[in-house]
Each structure stands twice: as structure tokens, then as C-alpha cells.
Amino acid sequence: MTFHQLKNKPIIKIITNRYVIILSIFVVWMVFFDENSLLNHLEFNKEIDKLQSEKEHFKTEIEKDKELIKKLQDKEQLEKFAREEYYMKKENEEIYIIEYDTLKK
């Protein structure tokens, strides 16, 4: 086939159209090279998903802490918490911490 015969084919006419070429270059630029490219958007969406899951995690932690704060309004519960978590004691009192060996020999 000669160049003239190739040039008259409809697909070649479409591909060599200057508007199609310019549009193709524009699309490639927007997908890969631009600051707001499709690749950047995908990364940002992953980051958004990660942050939303962290947000949900921290919301549940806040709810747990609110319940603990309500519970610790009671003096007996506060004392129990201080003893268990921070090994605090009253005056003239001794505390013995017993730890069990969980490793099998």
C-alpha cells in the first residue's frame, strides 16, 4: 500500500486529525503528569479512606473513655481503678503483686 492509499482510510483520517492528536495529548497529560492527575486522586482517596477509618477508631475510643469517666465519678470505682491500673495504695497498707508465669517449661 502506498501512502495515498493509507491516507484515504477512515481510521487514519481520524487518528491524524489535529484535534484528535491535541485531545489525546491533553488526556495523557491530565491522567499522568498534571498536579491534579488521576493517579494523585487515587492516592488521595486511599488517604481519605485511611483517615476515615482512624476517625471511626478514635470515636469509639472517645466513647469508651466517656463511659470510664462516668464510672470513675463514684469514689469506690475511682479507688479500684487507681489500685488496679496504677498500683496505688492507702497509707499503712502494703500491696503484693502476684504474677503468674504463663510460659510452659
Side-chain angles (χ1 to χ4, degrees):
M1 261 195 245
T2 65
F3 181 68
H4 250 314
Q5 290 172 335
L6 274 175
K7 194 173 185 182
N8 291 336
K9 293 208 175 213
I11 189 77
I12 299 298
K13 283 186 176 182
I14 293 173
I15 291 175
T16 57
N17 184 325
R18 75 173 78 167
Y19 298 111
V20 171
I21 293 172
I22 289 172
L23 182 65
S24 303
I25 292 171
F26 176 74
V27 167
V28 168
W29 179 264
M30 292 306 290
V31 169
F32 296 106
F33 300 113
D34 191 52
E35 182 178 305
N36 300 317
S37 72
L38 179 66
L39 299 175
N40 284 345
H41 278 283
L42 293 175
E43 286 181 33
F44 292 149
N45 286 338
K46 283 182 190 176
E47 184 71 20
I48 287 171
D49 291 340
K50 178 183 163 196
L51 291 172
Q52 285 177 340
S53 68
E54 285 181 11
K55 178 182 171 184
E56 291 303 316
H57 168 74
F58 288 125
K59 278 185 177 181
T60 58
E61 290 297 314
I62 287 171
E63 289 302 316
K64 287 180 188 176
D65 290 343
K66 283 181 181 179
E67 288 178 24
L68 181 63
I69 288 171
K70 283 182 185 177
K71 194 173 164 183
L72 294 179
Q73 297 298 321
D74 182 27
K75 187 175 180 177
E76 289 178 14
Q77 288 292 328
L78 180 62
E79 187 176 307
K80 179 182 174 188
F81 180 80
R83 287 170 179 262
E84 290 176 358
E85 296 295 319
Y86 297 105
Y87 307 115
M88 294 183 154
K89 62 179 184 153
K90 293 181 181 179
E91 279 187 43
N92 300 323
E93 182 179 62
E94 291 190 28
I95 296 179
Y96 297 99
I97 300 172
I98 301 172
E99 293 183 14
Y100 296 102
D101 187 14
T102 57
L103 298 174
K104 294 184 179 181
K105 294 181 181 180

